[in-house]
PDB file of all heavy atoms in Angstrom:
ATOM      1  N   TRP A  13      -4.734  -8.610  10.125  1.00 98.00           N
ATOM      2  CA  TRP A  13      -4.081  -7.729   9.168  1.00 98.00           C
ATOM      3  C   TRP A  13      -4.998  -7.504   7.980  1.00 98.00           C
ATOM      4  O   TRP A  13      -5.560  -8.459   7.430  1.00 98.00           O
ATOM      5  CB  TRP A  13      -2.767  -8.324   8.659  1.00 98.00           C
ATOM      6  CG  TRP A  13      -1.658  -8.316   9.661  1.00 98.00           C
ATOM      7  CD1 TRP A  13      -1.213  -9.356  10.400  1.00 98.00           C
ATOM      8  CD2 TRP A  13      -0.836  -7.197  10.007  1.00 98.00           C
ATOM      9  NE1 TRP A  13      -0.167  -8.970  11.200  1.00 98.00           N
ATOM     10  CE2 TRP A  13       0.086  -7.646  10.976  1.00 98.00           C
ATOM     11  CE3 TRP A  13      -0.789  -5.857   9.592  1.00 98.00           C
ATOM     12  CZ2 TRP A  13       1.044  -6.803  11.546  1.00 98.00           C
ATOM     13  CZ3 TRP A  13       0.162  -5.022  10.160  1.00 98.00           C
ATOM     14  CH2 TRP A  13       1.062  -5.501  11.127  1.00 98.00           C
ATOM     15  N   TYR A  14      -5.152  -6.259   7.608  1.00 98.00           N
ATOM     16  CA  TYR A  14      -5.831  -5.865   6.393  1.00 98.00           C
ATOM     17  C   TYR A  14      -4.844  -5.119   5.508  1.00 98.00           C
ATOM     18  O   TYR A  14      -3.794  -4.663   5.973  1.00 98.00           O
ATOM     19  CB  TYR A  14      -7.024  -4.958   6.690  1.00 98.00           C
ATOM     20  CG  TYR A  14      -8.205  -5.646   7.326  1.00 98.00           C
ATOM     21  CD1 TYR A  14      -8.201  -6.010   8.671  1.00 98.00           C
ATOM     22  CD2 TYR A  14      -9.356  -5.912   6.585  1.00 98.00           C
ATOM     23  CE1 TYR A  14      -9.290  -6.622   9.257  1.00 98.00           C
ATOM     24  CE2 TYR A  14     -10.454  -6.525   7.166  1.00 98.00           C
ATOM     25  CZ  TYR A  14     -10.412  -6.877   8.508  1.00 98.00           C
ATOM     26  OH  TYR A  14     -11.509  -7.482   9.084  1.00 98.00           O
ATOM     27  N   ARG A  15      -5.195  -4.988   4.251  1.00 98.00           N
ATOM     28  CA  ARG A  15      -4.383  -4.166   3.370  1.00 98.00           C
ATOM     29  C   ARG A  15      -5.277  -3.438   2.380  1.00 98.00           C
ATOM     30  O   ARG A  15      -6.376  -3.883   2.074  1.00 98.00           O
ATOM     31  CB  ARG A  15      -3.333  -4.994   2.625  1.00 98.00           C
ATOM     32  CG  ARG A  15      -3.891  -5.975   1.615  1.00 98.00           C
ATOM     33  CD  ARG A  15      -2.768  -6.826   1.042  1.00 98.00           C
ATOM     34  NE  ARG A  15      -3.252  -7.764   0.046  1.00 98.00           N
ATOM     35  CZ  ARG A  15      -2.515  -8.713  -0.514  1.00 98.00           C
ATOM     36  NH1 ARG A  15      -1.221  -8.837  -0.164  1.00 98.00           N
ATOM     37  NH2 ARG A  15      -3.033  -9.521  -1.418  1.00 98.00           N
ATOM     38  N   GLN A  16      -4.776  -2.323   1.905  1.00 98.00           N
ATOM     39  CA  GLN A  16      -5.510  -1.540   0.926  1.00 98.00           C
ATOM     40  C   GLN A  16      -4.536  -1.017  -0.122  1.00 98.00           C
ATOM     41  O   GLN A  16      -3.623  -0.254   0.193  1.00 98.00           O
ATOM     42  CB  GLN A  16      -6.254  -0.381   1.581  1.00 98.00           C
ATOM     43  CG  GLN A  16      -7.178   0.366   0.634  1.00 98.00           C
ATOM     44  CD  GLN A  16      -8.155   1.266   1.371  1.00 98.00           C
ATOM     45  OE1 GLN A  16      -7.883   1.699   2.491  1.00 98.00           O
ATOM     46  NE2 GLN A  16      -9.289   1.542   0.752  1.00 98.00           N
ATOM     47  N   ALA A  17      -4.737  -1.455  -1.343  1.00 97.00           N
ATOM     48  CA  ALA A  17      -3.936  -1.002  -2.463  1.00 97.00           C
ATOM     49  C   ALA A  17      -4.616   0.205  -3.103  1.00 97.00           C
ATOM     50  O   ALA A  17      -5.830   0.388  -2.962  1.00 97.00           O
ATOM     51  CB  ALA A  17      -3.763  -2.125  -3.481  1.00 97.00           C
ATOM     52  N   PRO A  18      -3.859   1.030  -3.821  1.00 92.00           N
ATOM     53  CA  PRO A  18      -4.462   2.193  -4.481  1.00 92.00           C
ATOM     54  C   PRO A  18      -5.614   1.792  -5.389  1.00 92.00           C
ATOM     55  O   PRO A  18      -5.488   0.878  -6.196  1.00 92.00           O
ATOM     56  CB  PRO A  18      -3.297   2.776  -5.286  1.00 92.00           C
ATOM     57  CG  PRO A  18      -2.077   2.343  -4.544  1.00 92.00           C
ATOM     58  CD  PRO A  18      -2.411   0.968  -4.028  1.00 92.00           C
ATOM     59  N   GLY A  19      -6.738   2.483  -5.235  1.00 94.00           N
ATOM     60  CA  GLY A  19      -7.890   2.220  -6.066  1.00 94.00           C
ATOM     61  C   GLY A  19      -8.682   0.985  -5.709  1.00 94.00           C
ATOM     62  O   GLY A  19      -9.630   0.646  -6.423  1.00 94.00           O
ATOM     63  N   LYS A  20      -8.320   0.310  -4.636  1.00 96.00           N
ATOM     64  CA  LYS A  20      -9.008  -0.904  -4.233  1.00 96.00           C
ATOM     65  C   LYS A  20      -9.551  -0.773  -2.815  1.00 96.00           C
ATOM     66  O   LYS A  20      -9.108   0.067  -2.034  1.00 96.00           O
ATOM     67  CB  LYS A  20      -8.076  -2.114  -4.310  1.00 96.00           C
ATOM     68  CG  LYS A  20      -7.532  -2.396  -5.693  1.00 96.00           C
ATOM     69  CD  LYS A  20      -6.654  -3.628  -5.712  1.00 96.00           C
ATOM     70  CE  LYS A  20      -7.459  -4.886  -5.429  1.00 96.00           C
ATOM     71  NZ  LYS A  20      -6.615  -6.117  -5.539  1.00 96.00           N
ATOM     72  N   GLN A  21     -10.523  -1.611  -2.507  1.00 97.00           N
ATOM     73  CA  GLN A  21     -11.073  -1.633  -1.165  1.00 97.00           C
ATOM     74  C   GLN A  21     -10.130  -2.343  -0.207  1.00 97.00           C
ATOM     75  O   GLN A  21      -9.327  -3.183  -0.607  1.00 97.00           O
ATOM     76  CB  GLN A  21     -12.437  -2.319  -1.156  1.00 97.00           C
ATOM     77  CG  GLN A  21     -13.542  -1.552  -1.854  1.00 97.00           C
ATOM     78  CD  GLN A  21     -14.900  -2.170  -1.612  1.00 97.00           C
ATOM     79  OE1 GLN A  21     -15.025  -3.380  -1.470  1.00 97.00           O
ATOM     80  NE2 GLN A  21     -15.924  -1.331  -1.556  1.00 97.00           N
ATOM     81  N   ARG A  22     -10.253  -1.989   1.044  1.00 97.00           N
ATOM     82  CA  ARG A  22      -9.482  -2.672   2.062  1.00 97.00           C
ATOM     83  C   ARG A  22      -9.928  -4.131   2.154  1.00 97.00           C
ATOM     84  O   ARG A  22     -11.129  -4.428   2.129  1.00 97.00           O
ATOM     85  CB  ARG A  22      -9.667  -1.965   3.408  1.00 97.00           C
ATOM     86  CG  ARG A  22      -8.728  -2.428   4.492  1.00 97.00           C
ATOM     87  CD  ARG A  22      -8.817  -1.523   5.727  1.00 97.00           C
ATOM     88  NE  ARG A  22      -8.459  -0.142   5.418  1.00 97.00           N
ATOM     89  CZ  ARG A  22      -8.358   0.813   6.320  1.00 97.00           C
ATOM     90  NH1 ARG A  22      -8.581   0.549   7.607  1.00 97.00           N
ATOM     91  NH2 ARG A  22      -8.034   2.044   5.946  1.00 97.00           N
ATOM     92  N   GLU A  23      -8.955  -5.032   2.253  1.00 98.00           N
ATOM     93  CA  GLU A  23      -9.260  -6.446   2.281  1.00 98.00           C
ATOM     94  C   GLU A  23      -8.563  -7.130   3.445  1.00 98.00           C
ATOM     95  O   GLU A  23      -7.481  -6.722   3.874  1.00 98.00           O
ATOM     96  CB  GLU A  23      -8.853  -7.119   0.966  1.00 98.00           C
ATOM     97  CG  GLU A  23      -7.354  -7.094   0.699  1.00 98.00           C
ATOM     98  CD  GLU A  23      -6.960  -7.846  -0.559  1.00 98.00           C
ATOM     99  OE1 GLU A  23      -7.810  -8.550  -1.133  1.00 98.00           O
ATOM    100  OE2 GLU A  23      -5.786  -7.724  -0.968  1.00 98.00           O
ATOM    101  N   LEU A  24      -9.185  -8.176   3.926  1.00 98.00           N
ATOM    102  CA  LEU A  24      -8.607  -8.976   4.992  1.00 98.00           C
ATOM    103  C   LEU A  24      -7.461  -9.812   4.446  1.00 98.00           C
ATOM    104  O   LEU A  24      -7.601 -10.491   3.433  1.00 98.00           O
ATOM    105  CB  LEU A  24      -9.667  -9.881   5.607  1.00 98.00           C
ATOM    106  CG  LEU A  24      -9.196 -10.832   6.704  1.00 98.00           C
ATOM    107  CD1 LEU A  24      -8.763 -10.060   7.942  1.00 98.00           C
ATOM    108  CD2 LEU A  24     -10.307 -11.819   7.053  1.00 98.00           C
ATOM    109  N   VAL A  25      -6.332  -9.775   5.129  1.00 98.00           N
ATOM    110  CA  VAL A  25      -5.165 -10.561   4.757  1.00 98.00           C
ATOM    111  C   VAL A  25      -5.047 -11.804   5.621  1.00 98.00           C
ATOM    112  O   VAL A  25      -4.878 -12.918   5.121  1.00 98.00           O
ATOM    113  CB  VAL A  25      -3.878  -9.726   4.864  1.00 98.00           C
ATOM    114  CG1 VAL A  25      -2.646 -10.580   4.565  1.00 98.00           C
ATOM    115  CG2 VAL A  25      -3.939  -8.525   3.923  1.00 98.00           C
ATOM    116  N   ALA A  26      -5.110 -11.617   6.917  1.00 98.00           N
ATOM    117  CA  ALA A  26      -4.974 -12.722   7.854  1.00 98.00           C
ATOM    118  C   ALA A  26      -5.646 -12.347   9.158  1.00 98.00           C
ATOM    119  O   ALA A  26      -5.648 -11.189   9.555  1.00 98.00           O
ATOM    120  CB  ALA A  26      -3.505 -13.063   8.100  1.00 98.00           C
ATOM    121  N   ARG A  27      -6.185 -13.348   9.813  1.00 98.00           N
ATOM    122  CA  ARG A  27      -6.894 -13.135  11.065  1.00 98.00           C
ATOM    123  C   ARG A  27      -6.458 -14.185  12.057  1.00 98.00           C
ATOM    124  O   ARG A  27      -6.355 -15.365  11.709  1.00 98.00           O
ATOM    125  CB  ARG A  27      -8.407 -13.206  10.827  1.00 98.00           C
ATOM    126  CG  ARG A  27      -9.282 -12.978  12.053  1.00 98.00           C
ATOM    127  CD  ARG A  27     -10.754 -13.016  11.656  1.00 98.00           C
ATOM    128  NE  ARG A  27     -11.640 -12.731  12.774  1.00 98.00           N
ATOM    129  CZ  ARG A  27     -12.134 -13.655  13.584  1.00 98.00           C
ATOM    130  NH1 ARG A  27     -11.826 -14.935  13.398  1.00 98.00           N
ATOM    131  NH2 ARG A  27     -12.930 -13.313  14.583  1.00 98.00           N
ATOM    132  N   ILE A  28      -6.218 -13.764  13.293  1.00 97.00           N
ATOM    133  CA  ILE A  28      -5.770 -14.703  14.316  1.00 97.00           C
ATOM    134  C   ILE A  28      -6.514 -14.459  15.616  1.00 97.00           C
ATOM    135  O   ILE A  28      -6.188 -13.546  16.381  1.00 97.00           O
ATOM    136  CB  ILE A  28      -4.231 -14.647  14.499  1.00 97.00           C
ATOM    137  CG1 ILE A  28      -3.787 -15.646  15.568  1.00 97.00           C
ATOM    138  CG2 ILE A  28      -3.737 -13.242  14.791  1.00 97.00           C
ATOM    139  CD1 ILE A  28      -2.278 -15.867  15.586  1.00 97.00           C
ATOM    140  N   PRO A  29      -7.536 -15.255  15.886  1.00 95.00           N
ATOM    141  CA  PRO A  29      -8.162 -15.186  17.210  1.00 95.00           C
ATOM    142  C   PRO A  29      -7.140 -15.580  18.273  1.00 95.00           C
ATOM    143  O   PRO A  29      -6.388 -16.539  18.080  1.00 95.00           O
ATOM    144  CB  PRO A  29      -9.291 -16.217  17.126  1.00 95.00           C
ATOM    145  CG  PRO A  29      -9.510 -16.433  15.658  1.00 95.00           C
ATOM    146  CD  PRO A  29      -8.162 -16.269  15.034  1.00 95.00           C
ATOM    147  N   ILE A  30      -7.094 -14.827  19.346  1.00 89.00           N
ATOM    148  CA  ILE A  30      -6.123 -15.134  20.394  1.00 89.00           C
ATOM    149  C   ILE A  30      -6.491 -16.468  21.024  1.00 89.00           C
ATOM    150  O   ILE A  30      -7.586 -16.629  21.574  1.00 89.00           O
ATOM    151  CB  ILE A  30      -6.062 -14.022  21.444  1.00 89.00           C
ATOM    152  CG1 ILE A  30      -5.792 -12.669  20.768  1.00 89.00           C
ATOM    153  CG2 ILE A  30      -4.998 -14.340  22.489  1.00 89.00           C
ATOM    154  CD1 ILE A  30      -4.580 -12.663  19.865  1.00 89.00           C
ATOM    155  N   GLY A  31      -5.596 -17.410  20.914  1.00 84.00           N
ATOM    156  CA  GLY A  31      -5.850 -18.760  21.380  1.00 84.00           C
ATOM    157  C   GLY A  31      -6.560 -19.632  20.372  1.00 84.00           C
ATOM    158  O   GLY A  31      -6.876 -20.791  20.673  1.00 84.00           O
ATOM    159  N   GLY A  32      -6.814 -19.094  19.181  1.00 88.00           N
ATOM    160  CA  GLY A  32      -7.502 -19.826  18.145  1.00 88.00           C
ATOM    161  C   GLY A  32      -6.632 -20.081  16.932  1.00 88.00           C
ATOM    162  O   GLY A  32      -5.418 -19.895  16.964  1.00 88.00           O
ATOM    163  N   THR A  33      -7.271 -20.492  15.860  1.00 91.00           N
ATOM    164  CA  THR A  33      -6.564 -20.828  14.632  1.00 91.00           C
ATOM    165  C   THR A  33      -6.639 -19.685  13.639  1.00 91.00           C
ATOM    166  O   THR A  33      -7.600 -18.918  13.609  1.00 91.00           O
ATOM    167  CB  THR A  33      -7.136 -22.104  14.003  1.00 91.00           C
ATOM    168  OG1 THR A  33      -8.529 -21.925  13.745  1.00 91.00           O
ATOM    169  CG2 THR A  33      -6.952 -23.284  14.928  1.00 91.00           C
ATOM    170  N   THR A  34      -5.625 -19.593  12.815  1.00 97.00           N
ATOM    171  CA  THR A  34      -5.515 -18.500  11.871  1.00 97.00           C
ATOM    172  C   THR A  34      -6.267 -18.774  10.583  1.00 97.00           C
ATOM    173  O   THR A  34      -6.494 -19.928  10.202  1.00 97.00           O
ATOM    174  CB  THR A  34      -4.052 -18.220  11.537  1.00 97.00           C
ATOM    175  OG1 THR A  34      -3.471 -19.394  10.948  1.00 97.00           O
ATOM    176  CG2 THR A  34      -3.280 -17.863  12.795  1.00 97.00           C
ATOM    177  N   THR A  35      -6.649 -17.708   9.925  1.00 97.00           N
ATOM    178  CA  THR A  35      -7.211 -17.780   8.588  1.00 97.00           C
ATOM    179  C   THR A  35      -6.469 -16.785   7.703  1.00 97.00           C
ATOM    180  O   THR A  35      -5.972 -15.768   8.177  1.00 97.00           O
ATOM    181  CB  THR A  35      -8.714 -17.477   8.565  1.00 97.00           C
ATOM    182  OG1 THR A  35      -8.956 -16.165   9.095  1.00 97.00           O
ATOM    183  CG2 THR A  35      -9.481 -18.501   9.391  1.00 97.00           C
ATOM    184  N   TYR A  36      -6.422 -17.094   6.408  1.00 98.00           N
ATOM    185  CA  TYR A  36      -5.706 -16.266   5.457  1.00 98.00           C
ATOM    186  C   TYR A  36      -6.537 -16.041   4.211  1.00 98.00           C
ATOM    187  O   TYR A  36      -7.343 -16.892   3.819  1.00 98.00           O
ATOM    188  CB  TYR A  36      -4.397 -16.924   5.026  1.00 98.00           C
ATOM    189  CG  TYR A  36      -3.403 -17.117   6.139  1.00 98.00           C
ATOM    190  CD1 TYR A  36      -3.377 -18.295   6.877  1.00 98.00           C
ATOM    191  CD2 TYR A  36      -2.483 -16.123   6.447  1.00 98.00           C
ATOM    192  CE1 TYR A  36      -2.467 -18.472   7.900  1.00 98.00           C
ATOM    193  CE2 TYR A  36      -1.567 -16.287   7.469  1.00 98.00           C
ATOM    194  CZ  TYR A  36      -1.562 -17.466   8.191  1.00 98.00           C
ATOM    195  OH  TYR A  36      -0.653 -17.639   9.203  1.00 98.00           O
ATOM    196  N   ALA A  37      -6.314 -14.905   3.588  1.00 98.00           N
ATOM    197  CA  ALA A  37      -6.867 -14.692   2.266  1.00 98.00           C
ATOM    198  C   ALA A  37      -6.226 -15.676   1.295  1.00 98.00           C
ATOM    199  O   ALA A  37      -5.049 -16.030   1.434  1.00 98.00           O
ATOM    200  CB  ALA A  37      -6.610 -13.259   1.803  1.00 98.00           C
ATOM    201  N   ASP A  38      -7.002 -16.120   0.322  1.00 98.00           N
ATOM    202  CA  ASP A  38      -6.474 -17.076  -0.644  1.00 98.00           C
ATOM    203  C   ASP A  38      -5.218 -16.551  -1.344  1.00 98.00           C
ATOM    204  O   ASP A  38      -4.312 -17.320  -1.674  1.00 98.00           O
ATOM    205  CB  ASP A  38      -7.537 -17.413  -1.693  1.00 98.00           C
ATOM    206  CG  ASP A  38      -8.653 -18.276  -1.139  1.00 98.00           C
ATOM    207  OD1 ASP A  38      -8.469 -18.896  -0.074  1.00 98.00           O
ATOM    208  OD2 ASP A  38      -9.723 -18.331  -1.777  1.00 98.00           O
ATOM    209  N   SER A  39      -5.159 -15.260  -1.550  1.00 97.00           N
ATOM    210  CA  SER A  39      -4.054 -14.668  -2.285  1.00 97.00           C
ATOM    211  C   SER A  39      -2.720 -14.735  -1.547  1.00 97.00           C
ATOM    212  O   SER A  39      -1.670 -14.564  -2.169  1.00 97.00           O
ATOM    213  CB  SER A  39      -4.367 -13.209  -2.632  1.00 97.00           C
ATOM    214  OG  SER A  39      -4.606 -12.455  -1.458  1.00 97.00           O
ATOM    215  N   VAL A  40      -2.751 -14.984  -0.234  1.00 98.00           N
ATOM    216  CA  VAL A  40      -1.513 -15.002   0.539  1.00 98.00           C
ATOM    217  C   VAL A  40      -1.229 -16.352   1.176  1.00 98.00           C
ATOM    218  O   VAL A  40      -0.170 -16.521   1.796  1.00 98.00           O
ATOM    219  CB  VAL A  40      -1.503 -13.911   1.626  1.00 98.00           C
ATOM    220  CG1 VAL A  40      -1.818 -12.549   1.023  1.00 98.00           C
ATOM    221  CG2 VAL A  40      -2.482 -14.239   2.749  1.00 98.00           C
ATOM    222  N   LYS A  41      -2.124 -17.300   1.035  1.00 98.00           N
ATOM    223  CA  LYS A  41      -1.918 -18.619   1.627  1.00 98.00           C
ATOM    224  C   LYS A  41      -0.624 -19.247   1.125  1.00 98.00           C
ATOM    225  O   LYS A  41      -0.332 -19.231  -0.066  1.00 98.00           O
ATOM    226  CB  LYS A  41      -3.100 -19.537   1.318  1.00 98.00           C
ATOM    227  CG  LYS A  41      -4.351 -19.238   2.110  1.00 98.00           C
ATOM    228  CD  LYS A  41      -5.477 -20.205   1.752  1.00 98.00           C
ATOM    229  CE  LYS A  41      -6.725 -19.910   2.560  1.00 98.00           C
ATOM    230  NZ  LYS A  41      -7.854 -20.793   2.172  1.00 98.00           N
ATOM    231  N   GLY A  42       0.128 -19.783   2.056  1.00 98.00           N
ATOM    232  CA  GLY A  42       1.395 -20.405   1.713  1.00 98.00           C
ATOM    233  C   GLY A  42       2.557 -19.448   1.654  1.00 98.00           C
ATOM    234  O   GLY A  42       3.710 -19.888   1.580  1.00 98.00           O
ATOM    235  N   ARG A  43       2.283 -18.153   1.673  1.00 98.00           N
ATOM    236  CA  ARG A  43       3.340 -17.139   1.606  1.00 98.00           C
ATOM    237  C   ARG A  43       3.443 -16.306   2.875  1.00 98.00           C
ATOM    238  O   ARG A  43       4.540 -15.899   3.264  1.00 98.00           O
ATOM    239  CB  ARG A  43       3.129 -16.212   0.410  1.00 98.00           C
ATOM    240  CG  ARG A  43       3.123 -16.924  -0.935  1.00 98.00           C
ATOM    241  CD  ARG A  43       3.097 -15.921  -2.088  1.00 98.00           C
ATOM    242  NE  ARG A  43       1.882 -15.105  -2.076  1.00 98.00           N
ATOM    243  CZ  ARG A  43       1.872 -13.777  -1.977  1.00 98.00           C
ATOM    244  NH1 ARG A  43       3.012 -13.107  -1.880  1.00 98.00           N
ATOM    245  NH2 ARG A  43       0.713 -13.120  -1.994  1.00 98.00           N
ATOM    246  N   PHE A  44       2.301 -16.013   3.492  1.00 98.00           N
ATOM    247  CA  PHE A  44       2.270 -15.175   4.689  1.00 98.00           C
ATOM    248  C   PHE A  44       1.958 -16.022   5.908  1.00 98.00           C
ATOM    249  O   PHE A  44       1.196 -16.991   5.831  1.00 98.00           O
ATOM    250  CB  PHE A  44       1.197 -14.093   4.574  1.00 98.00           C
ATOM    251  CG  PHE A  44       1.460 -13.022   3.555  1.00 98.00           C
ATOM    252  CD1 PHE A  44       2.503 -13.111   2.650  1.00 98.00           C
ATOM    253  CD2 PHE A  44       0.639 -11.912   3.510  1.00 98.00           C
ATOM    254  CE1 PHE A  44       2.737 -12.113   1.711  1.00 98.00           C
ATOM    255  CE2 PHE A  44       0.851 -10.907   2.578  1.00 98.00           C
ATOM    256  CZ  PHE A  44       1.899 -11.010   1.683  1.00 98.00           C
ATOM    257  N   THR A  45       2.514 -15.630   7.037  1.00 98.00           N
ATOM    258  CA  THR A  45       2.246 -16.294   8.300  1.00 98.00           C
ATOM    259  C   THR A  45       1.985 -15.247   9.369  1.00 98.00           C
ATOM    260  O   THR A  45       2.804 -14.350   9.576  1.00 98.00           O
ATOM    261  CB  THR A  45       3.413 -17.189   8.738  1.00 98.00           C
ATOM    262  OG1 THR A  45       3.685 -18.168   7.730  1.00 98.00           O
ATOM    263  CG2 THR A  45       3.068 -17.909  10.043  1.00 98.00           C
ATOM    264  N   VAL A  46       0.847 -15.357  10.039  1.00 97.00           N
ATOM    265  CA  VAL A  46       0.513 -14.440  11.115  1.00 97.00           C
ATOM    266  C   VAL A  46       0.731 -15.146  12.451  1.00 97.00           C
ATOM    267  O   VAL A  46       0.490 -16.349  12.577  1.00 97.00           O
ATOM    268  CB  VAL A  46      -0.940 -13.925  10.983  1.00 97.00           C
ATOM    269  CG1 VAL A  46      -1.953 -15.047  11.173  1.00 97.00           C
ATOM    270  CG2 VAL A  46      -1.204 -12.790  11.958  1.00 97.00           C
ATOM    271  N   SER A  47       1.207 -14.405  13.421  1.00 96.00           N
ATOM    272  CA  SER A  47       1.445 -14.953  14.743  1.00 96.00           C
ATOM    273  C   SER A  47       1.276 -13.849  15.766  1.00 96.00           C
ATOM    274  O   SER A  47       1.221 -12.663  15.422  1.00 96.00           O
ATOM    275  CB  SER A  47       2.838 -15.578  14.841  1.00 96.00           C
ATOM    276  OG  SER A  47       3.844 -14.607  14.621  1.00 96.00           O
ATOM    277  N   THR A  48       1.185 -14.231  17.030  1.00 95.00           N
ATOM    278  CA  THR A  48       1.083 -13.258  18.109  1.00 95.00           C
ATOM    279  C   THR A  48       2.022 -13.612  19.241  1.00 95.00           C
ATOM    280  O   THR A  48       2.363 -14.777  19.455  1.00 95.00           O
ATOM    281  CB  THR A  48      -0.339 -13.160  18.684  1.00 95.00           C
ATOM    282  OG1 THR A  48      -0.759 -14.440  19.160  1.00 95.00           O
ATOM    283  CG2 THR A  48      -1.314 -12.648  17.644  1.00 95.00           C
ATOM    284  N   ASP A  49       2.457 -12.590  19.935  1.00 94.00           N
ATOM    285  CA  ASP A  49       3.131 -12.723  21.210  1.00 94.00           C
ATOM    286  C   ASP A  49       2.170 -12.103  22.211  1.00 94.00           C
ATOM    287  O   ASP A  49       2.125 -10.885  22.377  1.00 94.00           O
ATOM    288  CB  ASP A  49       4.475 -12.005  21.209  1.00 94.00           C
ATOM    289  CG  ASP A  49       5.238 -12.184  22.504  1.00 94.00           C
ATOM    290  OD1 ASP A  49       4.613 -12.447  23.554  1.00 94.00           O
ATOM    291  OD2 ASP A  49       6.475 -12.051  22.484  1.00 94.00           O
ATOM    292  N   ASN A  50       1.386 -12.946  22.852  1.00 90.00           N
ATOM    293  CA  ASN A  50       0.297 -12.445  23.680  1.00 90.00           C
ATOM    294  C   ASN A  50       0.786 -11.650  24.890  1.00 90.00           C
ATOM    295  O   ASN A  50       0.117 -10.715  25.326  1.00 90.00           O
ATOM    296  CB  ASN A  50      -0.591 -13.601  24.133  1.00 90.00           C
ATOM    297  CG  ASN A  50      -1.281 -14.285  22.972  1.00 90.00           C
ATOM    298  OD1 ASN A  50      -1.466 -13.689  21.906  1.00 90.00           O
ATOM    299  ND2 ASN A  50      -1.679 -15.537  23.168  1.00 90.00           N
ATOM    300  N   ALA A  51       1.936 -12.022  25.420  1.00 92.00           N
ATOM    301  CA  ALA A  51       2.478 -11.296  26.559  1.00 92.00           C
ATOM    302  C   ALA A  51       2.834  -9.863  26.200  1.00 92.00           C
ATOM    303  O   ALA A  51       2.842  -8.982  27.056  1.00 92.00           O
ATOM    304  CB  ALA A  51       3.694 -12.020  27.120  1.00 92.00           C
ATOM    305  N   LYS A  52       3.135  -9.628  24.919  1.00 94.00           N
ATOM    306  CA  LYS A  52       3.508  -8.299  24.450  1.00 94.00           C
ATOM    307  C   LYS A  52       2.388  -7.599  23.694  1.00 94.00           C
ATOM    308  O   LYS A  52       2.587  -6.489  23.207  1.00 94.00           O
ATOM    309  CB  LYS A  52       4.737  -8.386  23.552  1.00 94.00           C
ATOM    310  CG  LYS A  52       5.976  -8.922  24.238  1.00 94.00           C
ATOM    311  CD  LYS A  52       7.149  -8.985  23.276  1.00 94.00           C
ATOM    312  CE  LYS A  52       8.398  -9.507  23.963  1.00 94.00           C
ATOM    313  NZ  LYS A  52       9.553  -9.591  23.031  1.00 94.00           N
ATOM    314  N   ASN A  53       1.227  -8.254  23.596  1.00 94.00           N
ATOM    315  CA  ASN A  53       0.115  -7.716  22.813  1.00 94.00           C
ATOM    316  C   ASN A  53       0.568  -7.325  21.412  1.00 94.00           C
ATOM    317  O   ASN A  53       0.194  -6.274  20.889  1.00 94.00           O
ATOM    318  CB  ASN A  53      -0.526  -6.519  23.513  1.00 94.00           C
ATOM    319  CG  ASN A  53      -1.416  -6.918  24.667  1.00 94.00           C
ATOM    320  OD1 ASN A  53      -1.805  -8.078  24.798  1.00 94.00           O
ATOM    321  ND2 ASN A  53      -1.754  -5.955  25.514  1.00 94.00           N
ATOM    322  N   THR A  54       1.351  -8.192  20.822  1.00 96.00           N
ATOM    323  CA  THR A  54       1.937  -7.912  19.524  1.00 96.00           C
ATOM    324  C   THR A  54       1.572  -8.996  18.521  1.00 96.00           C
ATOM    325  O   THR A  54       1.593 -10.183  18.845  1.00 96.00           O
ATOM    326  CB  THR A  54       3.464  -7.790  19.619  1.00 96.00           C
ATOM    327  OG1 THR A  54       3.789  -6.690  20.478  1.00 96.00           O
ATOM    328  CG2 THR A  54       4.082  -7.544  18.251  1.00 96.00           C
ATOM    329  N   MET A  55       1.245  -8.567  17.319  1.00 97.00           N
ATOM    330  CA  MET A  55       0.949  -9.458  16.211  1.00 97.00           C
ATOM    331  C   MET A  55       1.988  -9.225  15.121  1.00 97.00           C
ATOM    332  O   MET A  55       2.415  -8.092  14.881  1.00 97.00           O
ATOM    333  CB  MET A  55      -0.455  -9.186  15.671  1.00 97.00           C
ATOM    334  CG  MET A  55      -0.813  -9.962  14.414  1.00 97.00           C
ATOM    335  SD  MET A  55      -2.495  -9.602  13.820  1.00 97.00           S
ATOM    336  CE  MET A  55      -2.356  -7.854  13.416  1.00 97.00           C
TER     337      MET A  55
END
């Protein structure tokens, strides 16, 4: 997941390698959770 606010560059929010461990931007740690349903190709 990336996000882009008005007047700002697009930034990485969270990344989840399939079968791997997630990483988060410092600004969202503890508040956001990324997950996948691999059978549905959905994040």
Side-chain angles (χ1 to χ4, degrees):
W13 288 102
Y14 288 76
R15 67 185 181 187
Q16 187 165 25
K20 299 182 67 176
Q21 291 189 328
R22 190 171 299 185
E23 64 176 350
L24 177 67
V25 176
R27 181 177 183 270
I28 180 167
I30 306 307
T33 58
T34 61
T35 59
Y36 297 91
D38 288 342
S39 59
V40 307
K41 286 180 179 177
R43 300 188 298 120
F44 291 9
T45 302
V46 66
S47 62
T48 58
D49 183 336
N50 296 337
K52 298 180 179 179
N53 283 344
T54 298
M55 174 180 63

